[in-house]
Amino acid sequence: DKGDLGASMIKSMEVLKKSESNFLTKEEKTEITKILETVSKSMSEGTSIRTSSITVQSVKSSDARVSIKTPETVPDTDLPITLEFGNQKGRNINTAVMDESYKTTLPIPKSPNTTIGSPIVSLNFMAETGAAKDDINFSLVFQQKKVPSPPGYTMTRECVYLNTTNQEWQSDGCTTTLQKDK
């Protein structure tokens, strides 16, 4: 059963993360990314897998905006995480949300003094017959009600994504919009 296999793979990721994650090799980090991508792409419409630190689900909505499920360890201050479908409305999108602690299992950003400061969200736009691959328009909205600002530090938030082909963080095509809490 795909669900049991997916749950087993997610549990394996949790075990890998708990082991000396600061000492994972680049190849091991790439393998973790591939596991997550494989599980996410294998999800059937309307299914989900949830552990304390990872949630994977398949979302298809006729609504333009939907809140996506998150793991238990994502703090309330980061909720809700909302997917605005844009021109992808009605399309099947498989999502995975990991708590911020998984940043040690991902490649390190090349910019100095840069870190991941939110839950990590993976989106797989499932193939549609005849759809143009470069015609993707969507938004991912995070709430951050409390922004820690350590004395002596300047904090800048930037939208980035991990290119799974070259395992590098990139920001081209990604727009950062910050708005005050409501």
Side-chain angles (χ1 to χ4, degrees), residues 123-149:
L123 300 174
N124 282 305
F125 293 86
M126 304 312 288
E128 282 188 334
T129 311
K133 287 190 175 195
D134 59 353
D135 187 27
I136 294 178
N137 180 340
F138 71 97
S139 298
L140 196 56
V141 182
F142 288 87
Q143 288 293 324
Q144 289 225 274
K145 295 179 179 109
K146 295 180 183 176
V147 179
S149 206

Side-chain angles (χ1 to χ4, degrees), residues 22-108:
N22 291 333
F23 300 104
L24 289 172
T25 66
K26 184 177 180 179
E27 291 76 22
E28 290 168 325
K29 289 180 179 186
T30 299
E31 190 60 33
I32 289 172
T33 304
K34 285 181 183 176
I35 290 170
L36 183 64
E37 196 170 29
T38 299
V39 171
S40 177
K41 286 181 177 178
S42 72
M43 298 296 290
S44 302
E45 185 180 330
T47 60
S48 65
I49 298 171
R50 187 175 191 211
T51 69
S52 65
S53 61
I54 301 174
T55 296
V56 182
Q57 71 179 1
S58 178
V59 178
K60 183 172 185 175
S61 178
S62 56
D63 297 329
R65 183 179 206 174
V66 66
S67 290
I68 56 179
K69 296 177 184 177
T70 59
E72 299 163 8
T73 52
V74 171
D76 289 342
T77 55
D78 287 340
L79 299 176
I81 298 174
T82 306
L83 176 62
E84 293 182 354
F85 284 86
N87 69 354
Q88 302 307 304
K89 183 178 172 183
R91 191 160 171 194
N92 192 39
I93 301 173
N94 291 357
T95 69
V97 181
M98 300 176 288
D99 71 31
E100 186 182 333
S101 68
Y102 276 86
K103 67 185 175 186
T104 60
T105 65
L106 298 171
I108 298 168

Side-chain angles (χ1 to χ4, degrees), residues 113 115 117 144 146-158 178:
N113 301 318
T115 188
Q144 289 225 274
K146 295 180 183 176
V147 179
S149 206
Y153 289 88
T154 302
M155 190 173 301
T156 304
R157 300 211 178 268
E158 181 182 13
L178 300 176

Side-chain angles (χ1 to χ4, degrees), residues 146-176:
K146 295 180 183 176
V147 179
S149 206
Y153 289 88
T154 302
M155 190 173 301
T156 304
R157 300 211 178 268
E158 181 182 13
C159 168
V160 294
Y161 65 94
L162 179 64
N163 180 327
T164 56
T165 303
N166 64 15
Q167 292 294 300
E168 291 184 7
W169 292 99
Q170 298 177 328
S171 60
D172 57 316
C174 200
T175 304
T176 304

